[in-house]
Amino acid sequence: MDIIEQHIDVENESESVISLLSNHCQMSVAELKQAINKGALWLTRGKHTQRLRRVKKPLKAQDVLHFYYNRQVLAQEVAPARLISDLKDYSVWYKPYGMLSQGSKWSDHCTISRWAQTHLKPERPVFIVHRLDKAATGLILLAHSKTAARALSAMFEQHALEKHYQIIVHGDHSTHDQPQVIAEPIDGKSARSTFSCLNYDRQHDLSLVDVKIDSGRKHQIRRHAASINLPVVADRLHGDLNRHYPDSLNLQLCAVSLSFACPLSGKKQNFKLPKEYRPQLAAAAKQLAE
């Protein structure tokens, strides 16, 4: 079966996780273990439900196992994330295209949180304090303690940091005011973005634009770019829906810098994404021509 959803009440404490799942799902032990490793199994004990990866974990009567198997979801793969800086209480990563910030009930193997948890040395818990769209790339900050998570989450909620993105758009942004402040509300809420043209490719009519955002509305940059008729290249949601993009061309939107006073130490932090991970006009033009 391609999709399985099972909720199994534990009655006999002597039964193992694998034996219970095998009795309810027509799957091999290897398939079950692979799905569990990718985050398809949950355990409810009392009032608490959490993802379960330890197949040898002793079970208790009245536990409930939840198995969410989706073959298509579990088969997904993404490019590796890159560690930019590890400060123990938190770390900064490059999130590639297609990688999620958080998982779903079906899995978490394609998330930055799981990637960090399995690749940080020493291993630490991971807490998401802000998000980056699946289609976007760039810098994302992860906390590794509840204290750090609370402090950093508050910092993002209060917009007490400076965030810069780079986008490639169709059209000539250099003809607009420099810098250009866009304050078009998003879903009825105030939103403010500052666009500054970095370079214009006249031959291909593409602009590389720096964007500073003072609010964090959903798809804010993409929607603000579209509002001034300069849609982000490969924006298949808010851009020019009549334009065909090759499947290999990813959304040209990247978080390139984070600057803030650390809420834990007070130290000024400034993280910049290496140039090789940033949007490139020449590369985007080449892919558009394919």
Side-chain angles (χ1 to χ4, degrees):
M1 294 180 65
D2 289 336
I3 298 178
I4 298 172
E5 184 169 336
Q6 288 282 353
H7 306 278
I8 306 168
D9 294 321
V10 178
E11 298 177 355
N12 187 344
E13 295 186 6
S14 65
E15 290 192 275
S16 69
V17 170
I18 290 297
S19 65
L20 278 171
L21 290 176
S22 296
N23 290 337
H24 289 78
C25 309
Q26 301 302 312
M27 297 173 62
S28 69
V29 172
E31 288 176 318
L32 288 171
K33 288 183 176 180
Q34 184 181 58
I36 291 169
N37 184 58
K38 290 184 175 182
L41 181 65
W42 297 73
L43 171 68
T44 295
R45 177 168 290 172
K47 297 181 179 179
H48 301 286
T49 299
Q50 60 184 16
R51 218 180 287 269
L52 178 63
R53 297 185 210 275
R54 291 173 48 218
V55 296
K56 293 185 178 180
K57 182 179 179 67
L59 298 174
K60 296 182 178 181
Q62 298 184 341
D63 282 351
V64 182
L65 292 175
H66 311 274
F67 186 59
Y68 302 101
Y69 178 85
N70 185 309
R71 188 183 302 275
Q72 184 176 1
V73 170
L74 294 174
Q76 293 174 352
E77 296 181 358
V78 291
R82 303 296 187 201
L83 179 63
I84 301 299
S85 183
D86 184 0
L87 292 93
K88 295 185 179 180
D89 287 316
Y90 55 94
S91 57
V92 180
W93 296 76
Y94 165 71
K95 185 195 83 67
Y97 176 83
M99 185 172 277
L100 299 161
S101 294
Q102 286 183 299
S104 66
K105 68 180 183 180
W106 303 98
S107 78
D108 65 350
H109 70 292
C110 288
T111 66
I112 185 65
S113 53
R114 180 60 178 163
W115 182 273
Q117 190 175 47
T118 56
H119 288 79
L120 275 174
K121 304 297 181 187
E123 184 174 321
R124 279 155 278 171
V126 175
F127 302 90
I128 296 292
V129 296
H130 70 120
R131 289 167 178 79
L132 200 57
D133 289 345
K134 176 183 178 181
T137 62
L139 297 178
I140 188 167
L141 189 152
L142 304 173
H144 303 303
S145 70
K146 291 183 179 180
T147 298
R150 285 192 294 267
L152 294 169
S153 294
M155 179 183 72
F156 277 92
E157 290 169 2
Q158 296 162 12
H159 308 297
L161 73 162
E162 189 168 304
K163 295 180 285 185
H164 283 261
Y165 298 75
Q166 285 183 4
I167 57 175
I168 295 177
V169 301
H170 293 284
D172 185 0
H173 185 262
S174 68
T175 61
H176 293 242
D177 292 338
Q178 298 295 323
Q180 180 182 18
V181 176
I182 304 171
E184 182 86 13
I186 301 292
D187 297 330
K189 298 179 180 179
S190 62
R192 179 185 171 95
S193 305
T194 301
F195 283 33
S196 301
C197 189
L198 300 175
N199 196 5
Y200 174 58
D201 180 343
R202 186 176 303 278
Q203 179 182 353
H204 300 97
D205 194 28
L206 298 174
S207 296
L208 177 64
V209 180
D210 175 88
V211 183
K212 176 179 176 292
I213 63 171
D214 298 322
S215 51
R217 307 305 179 197
K218 186 175 182 179
H219 298 167
Q220 176 177 324
I221 295 173
R222 298 159 69 173
R223 294 168 75 171
H224 274 174
S227 75
I228 58 172
N229 297 316
L230 297 174
V232 177
V233 170
D235 184 355
R236 299 171 176 85
L237 185 60
H238 299 290
D240 182 356
L241 301 184
N242 295 317
R243 189 185 295 270
H244 173 73
Y245 293 108
D247 292 339
S248 61
L249 182 59
N250 299 333
L251 178 73
Q252 298 297 293
L253 188 159
C254 182
V256 299
S257 71
L258 288 172
S259 300
F260 55 90
C262 175
L264 301 173
S265 67
K267 181 181 177 181
K268 180 68 176 179
Q269 299 287 10
N270 185 21
F271 301 101
K272 293 186 177 181
L273 188 67
K275 289 184 178 180
E276 61 264 30
Y277 297 123
R278 300 185 182 197
Q280 306 291 329
L281 277 174
K286 181 179 179 180
Q287 285 186 279
L288 282 169
E290 292 177 352

